[in-house]
Amino acid sequence: MTMTLTDEGFMTMASFYESELSKSLLVLAMAGTLAACGGSDNNSDSDTDDHSDEEHHDEEHAHTGGRLIYSVSDDSGLNMYDQTVDEADAFSTDVVTTSATGATLVLAKNGLTAAMLDNGAVSIVDAGLEHLAEEDGHTHDVSATATNLTSGITMVVATHEYFSAFDGTASTVIDAEDGTAVTAPSSDAYPTLALTGGHFLTFMDGIDGSITIEVKEANGESLAAPVSATCNGDITATAQTEHLTQILCSNDSLLSVIAAEGETDTSFTITTDTSTTVADLTNLTATFSTYDVIAGWSTEANKLVLSKAHSDHVDTADISSELVADGIITVAAPSSNESEALGVLGTSGRFLALFYHAEGEELTIEGSSKFDLDTSISWSASDLLLADSEAFIAVNLASNTLFFIDGHDGESYHLHSRAEGSSDLSTLASAVLAHAQDDHDHDEEDGESDHDH
């Protein structure tokens, strides 16, 4: 069985906040991090120079800072680039002790904790950013807490407010904040995924190499009217929004589990798409949009497709024509539910932000921002693009360089600055971009949200 790691596993960074921070923290954050600053209009295709800090000190938004926490392949321990401190002090090593090199990190949906898979054991890494967005914003040291999963784990995925760990034959669901095990059915082919309404999605090996996927109660019982589907082949990737879970099967089929919240219960529908629209996809990236949008993409086919939950079915749109000529390295999405943007890192070092519209039955691209990060250096599949709630960071391993991509409320993006990183970036194995998130509540009336599920 193979799995392609998506932004569900590695990705997302610091966010913009309008709350008043203490003067001392604001000075530190602006010295070493992104300050919100003016950018090009949508549809801009011009190369953008770095913006100096002096140009942006009067802007109304300030970047409070996040922490890039990462492992390397030639040394044990977790290292960090900390945007909440002065740039001179940003890099630090061994902020968390590990027993092996190349520990795998998986960011929680809340952006504040991560699961660390270290030599078969799972720990919960606290990024120390829980209080950063408060009026007297402050940070704590990064720390790690062991869980009861001490050996044999081979895969961890983030799923709603949980992590799900898999040892090759069984899965265990744990709380993403403290690592305690929760009541959930086990799966023997892929980690069990959490769904809305206290339900779970199981993956069980079937005959002829197929995998049976079924919605179940927390106690493992099937629904009164069972909801299931079959994936022929391995699970290539999964991604989840609040009401939509997608599973990419290795035979080019895309399964979608749609949750519709009723007055007293949650109902589920599973659809299977084998059309040419989803053919050749190899990766899935979930957005935080209130309209449950997931991006499917392929580096090899240079293909990008959007899917959106709509009532009891899924709408899809192939937006590959919006891409630049070079291939896709990776795709990331800001973690604000008020953002409807996707960031794409191209193989030549070109960045593309696509702004989509997904309200009602619509699923269209409304504009884009495109520019080169640096075409004079080598870019590869190992390079990263991570997002916080509004901005992005690209990590180029060959040059040990961090590229900070800034924006204004998700409306436009430009290269704000770059920083030469520690030499250990060249051996980076796994990374997360921990950050605090704005809590934007949807407008609701009579207990029901205004989007179309």
Side-chain angles (χ1 to χ4, degrees):
M1 181 175 67
T2 61
M3 175 186 178
T4 300
L5 293 175
T6 69
D7 69 9
E8 294 283 320
F10 283 164
M11 314 196 241
T12 52
M13 183 172 211
S15 185
F16 289 82
Y17 292 95
E18 296 183 6
S19 60
E20 294 291 325
L21 294 179
S22 65
K23 182 177 179 180
S24 59
L25 178 62
L26 180 59
V27 171
L28 287 176
M30 293 185 71
T33 67
L34 307 175
C37 46
S40 57
D41 294 334
N42 290 356
N43 297 307
S44 170
D45 195 22
S46 60
D47 295 338
T48 307
D49 295 330
D50 295 354
H51 293 250
S52 64
D53 290 338
E54 289 79 12
E55 296 175 3
H56 314 300
H57 285 178
D58 294 332
E59 296 291 342
E60 61 178 336
H61 296 294
H63 199 291
T64 59
R67 288 172 166 174
L68 175 68
I69 302 172
Y70 59 98
S71 65
V72 293
S73 60
D74 60 354
D75 196 7
S76 60
L78 298 183
N79 302 335
M80 177 173 64
Y81 181 86
D82 188 357
Q83 286 192 298
T84 71
V85 301
D86 187 82
E87 187 175 358
D89 302 318
F91 276 101
S92 53
T93 60
D94 296 327
V95 294
V96 166
T97 301
T98 66
S99 64
T101 62
T104 299
L105 294 167
V106 181
L107 191 67
K109 295 294 185 179
N110 62 20
L112 298 174
T113 63
M116 177 177 70
L117 178 55
D118 175 25
N119 199 24
V122 177
S123 298
I124 300 297
V125 176
D126 187 335
L129 301 176
E130 181 180 1
H131 304 291
L132 184 60
E134 297 175 357
E135 184 174 354
D136 61 342
H138 60 278
T139 64
H140 295 279
D141 291 340
V142 178
S143 61
T145 303
T147 71
N148 290 332
L149 302 173
T150 58
S151 65
I153 302 301
T154 59
M155 183 190 306
V156 178
V157 296
T159 175
H160 289 278
E161 66 267 36
Y162 308 112
F163 292 117
S164 186
F166 185 64
D167 66 4
T169 59
S171 60
T172 303
V173 178
I174 61 176
D175 186 272
E177 292 188 6
D178 59 23
T180 57
V182 301
T183 300
S186 180
S187 298
D188 64 12
Y190 188 83
T192 294
L193 299 181
L195 302 173
T196 58
H199 298 83
F200 293 87
L201 194 66
T202 60
F203 300 79
M204 305 301 292
D205 279 325
I207 59 175
D208 301 327
S210 64
I211 297 174
T212 300
I213 300 166
E214 184 177 0
V215 178
K216 291 189 176 183
E217 305 284 359
N219 62 6
E221 296 292 327
S222 298
L223 302 184
V227 177
S228 64
T230 299
C231 179
N232 294 313
D234 294 330
I235 306 298
T236 302
T238 62
Q240 294 185 280
T241 64
E242 184 178 1
H243 299 93
L244 177 63
T245 297
Q246 290 196 308
I247 304 103
L248 192 59
C249 303
S250 59
N251 69 338
D252 274 351
S253 64
L254 180 65
L255 306 184
S256 297
V257 182
I258 308 158
E261 296 177 351
E263 292 184 2
T264 60
D265 202 357
T266 304
S267 61
F268 296 91
T269 304
I270 298 182
T271 65
T272 302
D273 190 348
T274 58
S275 67
T276 57
T277 302
V278 302
D280 302 319
L281 298 180
T282 56
N283 301 272
L284 296 173
T285 297
T287 74
F288 284 67
S289 166
T290 58
Y291 298 107
D292 296 295
V293 175
I294 294 177
W297 52 281
S298 169
T299 295
E300 295 80 5
N302 198 30
K303 189 172 187 177
L304 183 58
V305 175
L306 294 183
S307 297
K308 170 185 173 293
H310 184 207
S311 186
D312 61 351
H313 66 278
V314 173
D315 295 325
T316 61
D318 189 335
I319 59 171
S320 303
S321 60
E322 301 285 345
L323 296 173
V324 292
D326 56 352
I328 303 171
I329 290 179
T330 189
V331 176
S335 63
S336 169
N337 60 21
E338 293 188 348
S339 172
E340 293 188 346
L342 279 177
V344 181
L345 179 62
T347 52
S348 67
R350 191 164 180 79
F351 175 82
L352 170 65
L354 294 173
F355 306 98
Y356 59 88
H357 181 71
E359 188 174 2
E361 297 184 2
E362 297 183 54
L363 189 56
T364 57
I365 298 299
E366 294 193 321
S368 63
S369 297
K370 316 172 193 177
F371 49 85
D372 292 331
L373 299 178
D374 191 338
T375 59
S376 67
I377 59 179
S378 175
W379 294 84
S380 73
S382 299
D383 296 323
L384 303 179
L385 180 68
L386 308 175
D388 63 20
S389 63
E390 291 192 14
F392 296 87
I393 178 174
V395 186
N396 182 268
L397 277 59
S399 65
N400 300 315
T401 303
L402 305 176
F403 295 85
F404 301 105
I405 301 163
D406 203 359
H408 269 269
D409 299 324
E411 294 179 358
S412 61
Y413 287 96
H414 53 270
L415 177 59
H416 173 272
S417 62
R418 71 186 76 195
E420 183 175 348
S422 172
S423 60
D424 60 10
L425 284 178
S426 63
T427 56
L428 186 148
S430 179
V432 292
L433 195 49
H435 63 283
Q437 298 174 4
D438 285 322
D439 185 15
H440 300 293
D441 292 328
H442 315 324
D443 293 333
E444 296 188 357
E445 184 177 346
D446 298 328
E448 295 185 7
S449 62
D450 60 0
H451 51 88
D452 53 337
H453 295 288

